[in-house]
Amino acid sequence: MQSLIFSLALVAYSAAANDWLNVEVAGANNALARNINAHLGTLPTSDVQRRAFVFNAEDNINAALHSLGYYHANVNQQLSSPEKGVWTLSITVKPGEPTKLQWVDIQLSGEILQDAVVNRWLLGLNVKPGDILNHGVYEEIKTQLLTIALARGYFDGKYSANSIVINRDLNTAQITLHYDSGPRYHIGQVTFEGDSLVDGFLDQLIPFEPRTTYSTKKLGDLNRELIDTGYFTNIKVLPQLDKIEGQAVPIKVGVTDRPSHSFEIGVGAEIGNSSNSGIEPRLRLTWRTPQVNQYGHSQETSLEWSPDRPKFLTTYTIPLTHPLDDQLKLRVGILRDKYGVTQVYDPNKRDYINTGELESTKATAGVVRQKRFDNNWLFTYSIDGIKEAYTQRDVDYNTQMVLLGSSLSKTHRGDNSLDPKSGFFQHYSLEYADPNLGSDIRLTRLQAKFKWIDTFFEKHRIVSRLDLAANIAAESDLANIPPSLRYFAGGDQSIRGYSYQELGPYIDYTNSEEQLARMVVGGRYLMVGSLEYQYYVTPTWRVATFVDAGNAFDVNQIEPIVAVGGGIHWISPIGPIKLDLGVGLKETETVDRSWRIHLTMGAEL
């Protein structure tokens, strides 16, 4: 009962104060009190301002009451004005009966009648007979209609009637809005200025047909296409309304080329992603040339140094039939990587101890064509040559592979933010190697990846993913499959709570020093899934809890792993930054029951 009395008091009373004047409003509901304070304006900061504030208070209060439909209010003002100290203006309001809408007459004429976007806006209007008159709502509807009409190309539109008729005796009001849109204009010729590309190259980015109906959304789509090329630092898409000819609006696009070369340096460290759970420093240098020549070619070269995993990769991109939707990529890379864990048996401890990881050095060169269809499916086909050296069971391998590959993927986002409220990602790929095509073994690789995101009741978000993969090869060829083409589990994008790529099938053997040894060598198959619940504490902070499960495995060695954990995520301007703690629920033959802290950054789709 006490809480109810308190809330009623808040409705009946509001106050504002500074060193010159206290304003107290009683008898008005929250909305009316806020409107009165808004119309009264900023509190005075001098004696002259204070006297003007008090003098104009009555007119401002009446304006506030009328704007919300209260034309029969009784207002009592009392002013306490001591010679020294703060004055107090006490306002007591008896609003009386509000004025209600008798009818709302909104009529459109002209080509706008056939516009589906405008019709959806009309259906969404939340004003009807019986509502209390609100002048702010009336003005907002007028402004919204004009804004939509201009954005949709109705440049000759005008109101033939717009009024509110009030009957104070009956406490009724009648709203009339009649709008004649006239014809809808079209988008005329699009011209580009400021670029150094071959003539007609940027015309391929125009995402609409000639003479299409005008809308600012279509111009926004063009702007987004230009941004996605990476060619420009500044883009202005300007309709030239002063040069309209025959209801066609010319579009002028001004761009500024990016610098010819840019360099980016990154410094960081990985903690706990090696067999000794140590700290591995990383230094990364990236060199980009967004526009190599007038045909829109570009290149990106990255050099990453770390004691155990140095990498070099360069990619040269050639636009084909479309600068963004059809590209040929030439790529060359050299890298060293580590997988799983290697162990030897210690008779004194009667247990296996970690000695390192399965290491490989790989050189790769490839060509891939990437094409995006109108339905947003991304299709690729490629050929990659791989030369990979590694040591397994104290035997040195130097495997050569020529992989023919193809993939199909699609990403649907519920919105364009870096932290979408909903979305679905699907990816399917097939790769094939054959001795007749230059490979040492015959191998077929199949992969499928899925991620689903949805948000319920604004604050409750679900993120789930599933990764499936298989290598189809003869039993005698398994050892000759390079580690980079096998499947491992573990890490922040797999099973949290375990190190990167430390989980998978293992082999037991006797090493060259006659010791019992064990090595995680990866599996022919992969099945890893995750289910995560996220709760938004604020719009930019959320907490999460998750379950990750699965593993890489062979037909004769299946060992499911489950990890649980939670984390805190900050939705930063550059994307979500997530700090997660994962705890493994199972101790395997090669990994003790594990826990890891994972820090990740970037969009989830």
Side-chain angles (χ1 to χ4, degrees):
M1 190 65 183
Q2 290 178 342
S3 60
L4 177 61
I5 294 172
F6 180 65
S7 64
L8 289 175
L10 285 178
V11 171
Y13 176 84
S14 69
N18 67 1
D19 293 338
W20 290 89
L21 182 65
N22 294 334
V23 178
E24 299 173 350
V25 180
N29 60 33
N30 285 334
L32 195 52
R34 284 195 303 269
N35 205 42
I36 290 171
N37 284 320
H39 276 74
L40 288 172
T42 305
L43 292 174
T45 57
S46 68
D47 183 60
V48 173
Q49 290 181 6
R50 181 168 59 187
R51 293 181 182 278
F53 185 98
V54 173
F55 179 79
N56 294 314
E58 183 176 355
D59 289 341
N60 290 331
I61 294 168
N62 285 329
L65 292 165
H66 294 171
S67 69
L68 293 184
Y70 294 94
Y71 286 90
H72 300 288
N74 184 282
V75 179
N76 180 40
Q77 296 183 65
Q78 291 186 347
L79 178 65
S80 172
S81 54
E83 289 189 19
K84 294 182 179 180
V86 181
W87 289 13
T88 299
L89 177 62
S90 299
I91 303 167
T92 303
V93 179
K94 293 181 179 179
E97 288 295 320
T99 299
K100 294 187 177 181
L101 295 178
Q102 187 178 21
W103 75 56
V104 179
D105 178 18
I106 300 177
Q107 294 185 25
L108 305 181
S109 59
E111 290 187 15
I112 201 170
L113 282 172
Q114 311 303 320
D115 197 316
V117 171
V118 176
N119 286 326
R120 283 197 298 271
W121 171 79
L122 277 173
L123 291 174
L125 289 179
N126 190 23
V127 59
K128 59 186 182 302
D131 289 350
I132 295 175
L133 173 64
N134 187 319
H135 288 257
V137 171
Y138 166 77
E139 294 295 337
E140 184 179 358
I141 292 173
K142 281 178 58 180
T143 302
Q144 283 182 1
L145 181 52
L146 285 175
T147 301
I148 293 173
L150 290 174
R152 304 285 294 168
Y154 303 99
F155 298 118
D156 296 335
K158 60 184 178 180
Y159 281 108
S160 56
N162 61 100
S163 64
I164 300 178
V165 177
I166 298 169
N167 187 324
R168 297 196 182 192
D169 293 332
L170 299 177
N171 281 339
T172 59
Q174 301 164 352
I175 288 180
T176 301
L177 287 174
H178 294 175
Y179 182 79
D180 182 4
S181 71
R184 186 177 184 182
Y185 283 66
H186 298 80
I187 294 178
Q189 184 178 6
V190 180
T191 57
F192 296 91
E193 295 182 359
D195 66 283
S196 56
L197 294 158
V198 66
D199 289 344
F201 182 85
L202 292 180
D203 292 340
Q204 302 171 81
L205 292 167
I206 299 174
F208 42 79
E209 298 297 323
R211 299 274 314 166
T212 187
T213 52
Y214 181 95
S215 78
T216 53
K217 180 184 181 302
K218 293 173 182 175
L219 302 186
D221 291 341
L222 172 58
N223 186 77
R224 192 158 43 250
E225 291 277 293
L226 293 167
I227 290 173
D228 289 345
T229 64
Y231 296 150
F232 312 113
T233 57
N234 188 41
I235 300 167
K236 292 182 178 179
V237 180
L238 303 173
Q240 297 180 287
L241 300 179
D242 57 333
K243 297 182 179 180
I244 292 176
E245 294 183 3
Q247 295 180 355
V249 184
I251 307 299
K252 176 182 175 181
V253 182
V255 297
T256 304
D257 285 343
R258 284 190 182 277
S260 298
H261 303 282
S262 66
F263 297 90
E264 180 181 298
I265 297 177
V267 179
E270 287 193 356
I271 303 173
N273 272 346
S274 59
S275 62
N276 59 7
S277 297
I279 298 176
E280 185 176 286
R282 286 191 178 274
L283 177 65
R284 183 184 181 93
L285 174 64
T286 303
W287 166 38
R288 295 185 180 92
T289 308
Q291 197 177 314
V292 174
N293 53 34
Q294 64 178 340
Y295 300 102
H297 296 194
S298 62
Q299 74 82 29
E300 178 174 319
T301 301
S302 63
L303 178 62
E304 187 173 305
W305 175 87
S306 67
D308 294 327
R309 292 180 171 91
K311 297 179 183 179
F312 168 81
L313 179 64
T314 183
T315 303
Y316 191 90
T317 302
I318 302 172
L320 297 177
T321 61
H322 189 277
L324 294 174
D325 295 340
D326 190 6
Q327 298 177 333
L328 187 71
K329 294 179 181 286
L330 313 176
R331 55 196 183 194
V332 175
I334 302 173
L335 60 96
R336 187 167 74 233
D337 211 341
K338 293 189 174 185
Y339 306 86
V341 63
T342 59
Q343 300 174 328
V344 296
Y345 186 75
D346 186 341
N348 296 322
K349 295 183 178 180
R350 297 183 179 180
D351 198 4
Y352 284 87
I353 60 172
N354 292 348
T355 59
E357 292 118 319
L358 170 60
E359 299 183 16
S360 81
T361 300
K362 180 173 74 171
T364 178
V367 181
V368 58
R369 185 173 184 180
Q370 177 178 291
K371 189 172 180 64
R372 187 180 301 277
F373 299 121
D374 291 340
N375 56 12
N376 223 28
W377 280 97
L378 185 65
F379 174 66
T380 69
Y381 53 92
S382 61
I383 179 170
D384 286 282
I386 298 173
K387 189 81 171 179
E388 189 161 350
Y390 55 98
T391 300
Q392 183 173 308
R393 263 185 171 173
D394 291 341
V395 177
D396 294 332
Y397 293 85
N398 198 339
T399 303
Q400 177 176 296
M401 303 287 287
V402 177
L403 283 169
L404 302 178
S406 181
S407 70
L408 194 63
S409 63
K410 185 177 183 179
T411 302
H412 168 74
R413 292 181 176 86
D415 55 70
N416 291 322
S417 69
L418 293 174
D419 186 55
K421 298 297 184 184
S422 63
F424 181 64
F425 167 77
Q426 50 188 320
H427 171 90
Y428 313 91
S429 68
L430 167 66
E431 293 175 296
Y432 179 72
D434 193 285
N436 296 322
L437 300 174
S439 297
D440 290 342
I441 61 171
R442 182 175 287 107
L443 172 67
T444 301
R445 306 185 77 233
L446 303 169
Q447 295 186 77
K449 298 180 179 181
F450 307 93
K451 178 171 275 190
W452 173 74
I453 297 174
D454 210 345
T455 303
F456 304 92
F457 308 110
E458 297 186 0
K459 292 187 175 183
H460 305 272
R461 190 171 188 252
I462 300 293
V463 178
S464 62
R465 57 179 166 83
L466 177 65
D467 295 344
L468 304 171
N471 279 345
I472 302 173
E475 191 78 25
S476 58
D477 288 335
L478 293 182
N480 290 290
I481 299 176
S484 65
L485 299 182
R486 303 174 193 171
Y487 300 112
F488 298 82
D492 54 64
Q493 299 301 312
S494 178
I495 301 178
R496 285 165 282 191
Y498 295 89
S499 292
Y500 176 63
Q501 296 188 143
E502 76 170 338
L503 298 172
Y506 63 90
I507 55 175
D508 289 314
Y509 65 102
T510 302
N511 64 21
S512 57
E513 299 177 4
E514 299 300 320
Q515 296 171 302
L516 291 176
R518 180 175 285 168
M519 174 182 284
V520 174
V521 295
R524 279 181 278 183
Y525 308 103
L526 177 74
M527 180 183 292
V528 172
S530 176
L531 183 62
E532 181 168 333
Y533 167 73
Q534 301 168 351
Y535 176 77
Y536 287 87
V537 180
T538 72
T540 56
W541 286 93
R542 67 181 179 223
V543 293
T545 184
F546 59 83
V547 177
D548 297 341
N551 206 347
F553 56 94
D554 279 332
V555 173
N556 60 349
Q557 195 177 122
I558 301 175
E559 192 170 14
I561 300 296
V562 177
V564 297
I568 184 168
H569 304 169
W570 173 44
I571 317 304
S572 76
I574 58 174
I577 297 176
K578 302 187 289 185
L579 182 66
D580 292 326
L581 170 64
V583 178
L585 299 184
K586 184 176 182 181
E587 182 176 300
T588 73
E589 294 292 335
T590 58
V591 180
D592 294 335
R593 183 172 176 179
S594 177
W595 65 273
R596 288 287 186 278
I597 294 175
H598 302 276
L599 179 63
T600 57
M601 180 177 70
E604 290 175 303
L605 285 178

